[in-house]
Amino acid sequence: MGVLDSFRLDGQVAVVTGCRRGIGRGMALALAEAGADIVGVSAALEPGSEVEGEVLACGRRFWPYACDFADRQALYRFVGRVEAEVGAVDILLNNAGIIRRAPAAEHSDEFWDEVIRVNLDAQYLLAREFGRRMVARGRGKIVFTASVLTFQGGITVPGYAAAKGGIGTLTMALANEWAGKGVNVNAIAPGYIATDNNQALRDDPVRSGQLMTRIPAGRWGQPEDLKGAVVFLCSPAAAYVHGSILVVDGGWLGR
């Protein structure tokens, strides 16, 4: 196999959570461009979505699902439906997440619980359920969307920071158990990417200006900036990569 061929995903089936917009949409398209068929799931995803059209335009298949990631029973039902309707899953891209902003002293129980359920509990459940099937087959790829706040505390997002910190150690914990069983578990840590999740930051001229002076690349990232990283970690090219958190942040953490 030539080196470029080792990045191909032909014949693979990838579950991409939070695929309707932003980072997840860009990642789903990247995997489709590399040859994978996509099982797309978001909290609200209807047949005929824009991401479905983009995947189909690549000549790949797309199965749309809607799931409430804060509802554990809904997650179990989703896993069961995929197993019955799609079959074996080769790649799990655990990306879905939310953010709730409030100073720590005012960050409510409701904010905390909602963020932890979606950003950490659901991620573990899906990794465990799809992962056990991968282990049984002796192969598979799981990639989490971490964050630069996996390494930093952030401001006014304590629930989000706690969840993303947990994603970092969960990535390593699963890799420790599954690396020897043919399953690669890794994560991507995006920096400040222009998505709906951080629209409030981009609309704040003071805070946005502060961020731009800190990012060596001098700009907000775009979902397309993550395409190469996600294809790499999901491909045979990353066969010996386990428990890693690949940072894509325009140089933020190195500053």
Side-chain angles (χ1 to χ4, degrees):
M1 179 185 295
V3 65
L4 293 181
D5 292 331
S6 71
F7 288 84
R8 294 295 307 172
L9 301 176
D10 300 293
Q12 304 288 295
V13 173
V15 171
V16 182
T17 74
C19 72
R20 187 171 66 89
R21 59 188 182 183
I23 289 174
R25 179 176 170 178
M27 288 180 169
L29 182 57
L31 297 184
E33 290 173 347
D37 295 321
I38 306 298
V39 176
V41 56
S42 288
L45 184 66
E46 299 294 333
S49 65
E50 290 186 9
V51 65
E52 178 173 356
E54 291 169 338
V55 169
L56 294 177
C58 295
R60 311 313 309 166
R61 298 182 67 185
F62 186 90
W63 295 269
Y65 292 90
C67 182
D68 180 356
F69 295 100
D71 182 339
R72 187 168 292 175
Q73 294 308 311
L75 290 166
Y76 282 121
R77 289 193 296 272
F78 164 67
V79 173
R81 287 187 63 192
V82 171
E83 188 169 39
E85 299 169 8
V86 179
V89 168
D90 304 290
I91 297 164
L92 170 63
L93 185 48
N94 239 338
N95 167 75
I98 60 173
I99 193 164
R100 297 290 181 261
R101 300 181 186 277
E106 303 164 17
H107 204 80
S108 67
D109 290 346
E110 291 75 18
F111 274 12
W112 177 272
D113 290 345
E114 184 182 15
V115 170
I116 296 298
R117 281 198 300 267
V118 173
N119 292 18
L120 187 57
D121 292 352
Q123 307 269 346
Y124 172 63
L125 187 154
L126 292 175
R128 183 189 66 207
E129 294 304 307
F130 285 112
R132 76 170 81 215
R133 292 158 170 82
M134 294 176 181
V135 167
R137 294 196 308 275
R139 59 182 176 83
K141 306 279 188 178
I142 297 174
V143 178
F144 291 94
T145 297
S147 169
V148 290
L149 296 194
T150 298
F151 309 98
Q152 301 175 318
I155 299 172
T156 71
V157 288
Y160 184 86
K164 292 301 184 180
I167 288 297
T169 50
L170 177 60
T171 297
M172 292 182 278
L174 296 180
N176 287 342
E177 294 195 36
W178 294 346
K181 298 178 180 179
V183 178
N184 298 74
V185 185
N186 294 289
I188 295 173
Y192 287 88
I193 308 296
T195 67
D196 293 348
N197 263 357
N198 52 42
Q199 187 66 53
L201 285 180
R202 290 187 287 135
D203 289 343
D204 182 337
V206 174
R207 184 75 176 116
S208 182
Q210 291 170 338
L211 292 174
M212 287 304 99
T213 61
R214 166 72 186 269
I215 299 173
R219 65 174 177 86
W220 284 85
Q222 299 296 323
E224 292 76 15
D225 291 316
L226 300 165
K227 281 186 169 183
V230 70
V231 169
F232 167 61
L233 289 178
C234 292
S235 74
Y240 199 60
V241 180
H242 296 277
S244 293
I245 304 173
L246 177 55
V247 178
V248 183
D249 68 345
W252 172 272
L253 289 179
R255 189 64 175 261

